[in-house]
Amino acid sequence: MEMSANQELILETNELTKKLGGKPVVKAVNMQIRRGDIYGFLGPNGAGKTTTIRMLLGLAKPTAGSIRIFGKDIRKMRLAILRKVGSLVEYPSYYGHLTATENLEAVRRLLGVPKSRIDEVLSIVRLTKEAKRPVRGFSLGMKQRLGIATALLGDPELLVLDEPTNGLDPAGIQEIRELIKSLPQTSGVTILISSHLLSEVEQMATRVGIISKGELIYEDSIHRLREQAQGRVRLGVSNPESAWRLLLSHGYPVGWENGRLTVAKADDRTVASIVARLVKQDFEVYRVEEETASLESIFLQMTGTEGSL
Amino acid sequence: MMLRILSSEFLKIRKKLIWLLVAAGPIGVVALQAVNYGVRYDYLVAGKETAKLWSGLIGNVSMLALPALMVGLALVASMTAGIEHQMNAWKLTLALPVRKRQVFAGKFLLTALLLLISCTLLVPLTVALGLALGFDGPIPYGDLLTNAYYPYLAAMPFIALQAWLSVTMANQTLPLTIGIVGMIVSMFAGGRFPDWVPYKWPQLVNASHEPLYSVTAGVALGLVVFVAGMAEFVRKDVK
Ligand SMILES: Nc1ncnc2c1ncn2[C@@H]1O[C@H](COP(=O)(O)OP(=O)(O)OP(=O)(O)O)[C@@H](O)[C@H]1O
Ligand SMILES: [Mg+2]
């Protein structure tokens, strides 16, 4: 589903900036989230994701810039906004000596939603069976699920999840991912989810924003990012060097690399006509391979952390 | 909204050691006096008239209750705030649609109410001890109540101060140190310090011999400290 420009903006930041200890850790971020988006907020460790999210939730005050959520300024209408926002910041907060139900009840009393919501959110995150156990004894995955249940308690229109899969094993990650993917269908909620791994959100995100060293360096639909990731076609042929010269002389955009011919961003027709030309000139064509750059490698390139991970 | 916050606060301290402390404070104070009276029964009780016996007992209980209150308020404030610090739950609560100042007021009120329960417990416990010691005659409930609640009200600046320190600092070492030093200072504040020193107020002694002056000053300064603490809490970013 491609974004149409007239879709309602749910969240918008304008030159959002935060200095911590005199050092800017979020720099003039302009971020836009539309209704129904699952917005993957990506960036390596220390990029400023949590700092940005804290400002979005009114937990920290921006040094400069502004935030509008549901069209309202967070500075002026924090309470009205937060009534429709559910969040999980960094790692789940919970009261270890209380059961899952009691933890949710402590929050429910502040939200003033009906008691029945507790059972509903517990069943959404599949913790109904563990509801009467003290949370202290929960596994990390269960705590994370309880955190999501807490975020869902007020039936939010916007769900803000900061690295909800951090520290989980692959099965736990998969479980949380399935859970998050199932949410928009069931409740029509818009989701902002941060991660330091593109692979973790690429299957569910409709849009991505990439932050690096405090700057939002990319923001667009996941499709656009995929297009960027579209690779080259490599050709294995007999006598490649003369094949290369031949193709160049006919104006094809071919490259020469490690004894192989490459064609950048080639559409089907170009590839077909290249192959036809080569066969006609009695070259033997052994292989025509698509070489896709992974989204992850593009992400790493953008954030300049390739090799350091 | 304040009621909702308080009901949430009371839920959060369910099954917590804090309740033990709230009960153990007054029970300990009265139990120590029970031992004192048991050991020195002849000197303290024998041949005295009833009114003197009761006022003597109330005075003795107060003498121990004061330092217990001064250190108890630091402990209770630290424990009520500790519930949030432990798993860094501040960010959970403060990302909910609640006013920051109400969250702060909730913590202060919880601390103040728990201490109020402790002070209230002193009354029936003192009566029980008096009756057990065989005191008869009219029980001076008026004196019992003033001795339970006046020092509590006069100690309000310290309740507000400890609530402030414990809520704003994740590490409780400094708040607790200040609380313990405060208790020691208040124990020696009696004759030595001028009347304007707040550490003297819980003892209710002043030049005019009017306990209500100490109480009024305590409540007034308590309010000032509470508002100052709230202002700082609201201003600060949440960790
Ligand atoms: N109190 C502080 N004083 C100074 N710098 C800070 C403070 N808190 C965080 N920072 C810095 O701000 C930067 C952004 O931190 P932030 O927690 O927002 O990153 P993040 O993108 O959430 O990273 P992660 O993936 O590790 O959670 C980091 O470089 C961090 O060192
Ligand atoms: Mg983070």
Side-chain angles (χ1 to χ4, degrees), chain A residues 18 54 59-61 78-79 82-83 87 89 91 93-95 97-98 102 105-106 109-111 150, chain B residues 1 4 7-8 11-12 14-16 83-84 87-89 91 94 97-98 234-235 237-239:
Chain A
K18 180 76 179 178
R54 281 174 182 279
L59 293 172
K61 293 184 185 69
R78 193 179 73 97
L79 256 51
L82 290 181
R83 241 184 284 284
S87 62
V89 182
Y91 40 86
S93 301
Y94 55 89
Y95 305 102
H97 62 291
L98 300 178
E102 288 166 338
E105 174 63 14
R109 289 187 186 180
L110 298 180
L111 293 173
T150 311
Chain B
M1 193 66 218
R4 287 209 221 134
S7 86
S8 176
L11 168 65
K12 287 190 269 187
R14 223 185 246 183
K15 296 179 270 185
K16 273 286 189 185
I83 291 168
E84 313 297 329
M87 282 301 147
N88 196 3
K91 60 181 165 70
L94 294 170
V98 288
V234 169
R235 217 199 57 235
D237 281 355
V238 183
K239 268 180 273 133

Side-chain angles (χ1 to χ4, degrees), chain A residues 65-83:
Chain A
S66 63
I67 299 164
R68 293 181 80 78
I69 302 178
F70 309 124
K72 298 175 182 127
D73 190 319
I74 187 91
R75 274 168 306 189
K76 294 180 192 120
M77 312 203 62
R78 193 179 73 97
L79 256 51
I81 291 169
L82 290 181
R83 241 184 284 284

Side-chain angles (χ1 to χ4, degrees), chain B residues 165-229:
Chain B
L165 294 175
S166 286
V167 162
T168 43
M169 294 180 190
N171 185 337
Q172 294 296 301
T173 317
L174 186 65
L176 286 175
T177 308
I178 290 176
I180 289 165
V181 170
M183 174 201 79
I184 296 167
V185 172
S186 75
M187 280 170 74
F188 298 104
R192 268 161 251 209
F193 291 170
D195 282 355
W196 57 263
V197 177
Y199 285 102
K200 203 174 160 179
W201 300 347
Q203 301 182 351
L204 311 173
V205 283
N206 50 53
S208 334
H209 300 288
E210 178 48 75
L212 277 175
Y213 287 169
S214 305
V215 170
T216 313
V219 172
L221 183 62
L223 203 67
V224 171
V225 176
F226 166 71
V227 170

